Every structure is written in C-alpha cells, then in structure tokens.
Amino acid sequence: MLNTEYKFGEVHTLLPQIENRNDKVNFKSIFENANGGVSLLAFKEGQVLAEHLAPGELMVYVIEGEIEFTMIDRKNHLKAGDFMLIGESVPHSVIAKADSKVMLVKIKA
C-alpha cells in the first residue's frame, strides 16, 4: 500500500515541500510503501542527526546546502548536487554545515 499525500501525474516543485526548523531536523515523506520510499530532510546550520543504522539501502542526495555525513567513522563532505549510497544497517550520522535540504531514497530488500 502506498502512503503519500501527492497524486500521481501532478507536477510539484521539490524545494518548497519542506522548510528548515530551528527546534529540530525536519522530515517529510514524499511517498512510502513496503519496499522503501522517498523523504526530504531539512537542517538548520549546526543541527545534528545522531548516529543510527540505515533502515535499508539508501541514496542521500543534497539538494541545497552542505552536510558532513559520517559513515563507519569516515567523514564525507557533501554539497548541493552531491550524493552517496549507504548499505543497509550501516551506522551513520549527519551534521549540517549550512542550512540544507536533503533527499533520502530508501530501498528495502
């Protein structure tokens, strides 16, 4: 079953779908089903997403801003236009180096 507030066939502009919040990292699901989904994350500069395990195979794409993405104790600097892939159950964390928006694509095996 697909979970989304959007309708197939409609055109949407991506960046305005999520706003940065001062109190915490903002998450918004674009769509999700049993096989994975697509979400947006918005960070204010300095916000942290603490280390956690990838819930599936992931693609992290920086739409706007800059993040430091630590995966298995290796720091990676990603800026707008960059992406990386992460395997399932891999520990990772994020620190926003600037106000940033990130697209997360999750695929479950």
Side-chain angles (χ1 to χ4, degrees), residues 32-68:
E32 189 168 353
N33 65 22
N35 299 315
V38 174
S39 298
L40 299 176
L41 291 80
F43 298 83
K44 291 294 279 181
E45 182 177 356
Q47 286 181 326
V48 174
L49 193 55
E51 186 175 79
H52 59 285
L53 299 179
E57 293 175 331
L58 305 177
M59 182 182 104
V60 175
Y61 173 69
V62 179
I63 303 166
E64 177 178 271
E66 296 181 41
I67 63 171
E68 181 180 278

Side-chain angles (χ1 to χ4, degrees), residues 4-102:
T4 184
E5 65 183 64
Y6 301 93
K7 293 181 182 168
F8 283 83
E10 290 183 351
V11 176
H12 303 275
T13 303
L14 191 61
L15 283 176
Q17 299 303 311
I18 191 166
E19 294 299 324
N20 304 75
R21 292 175 44 183
N22 288 325
D23 59 334
K24 63 181 180 176
V25 177
N26 192 7
F27 291 83
K28 180 173 183 166
S29 176
I30 300 298
F31 73 88
E32 189 168 353
N33 65 22
N35 299 315
V38 174
S39 298
L40 299 176
L41 291 80
F43 298 83
K44 291 294 279 181
E45 182 177 356
Q47 286 181 326
V48 174
L49 193 55
E51 186 175 79
H52 59 285
L53 299 179
E57 293 175 331
L58 305 177
M59 182 182 104
V60 175
Y61 173 69
V62 179
I63 303 166
E64 177 178 271
E66 296 181 41
I67 63 171
E68 181 180 278
F69 191 97
T70 302
M71 180 175 69
I72 313 174
D73 297 326
R74 180 174 175 218
K75 293 180 180 182
N76 301 279
H77 185 84
L78 287 82
K79 61 186 181 326
D82 293 341
F83 78 92
M84 67 183 300
L85 302 176
I86 299 97
E88 184 173 7
S89 298
V90 171
H92 62 280
S93 62
V94 179
I95 299 172
K97 296 299 187 177
D99 289 357
S100 302
K101 293 183 181 180
V102 174

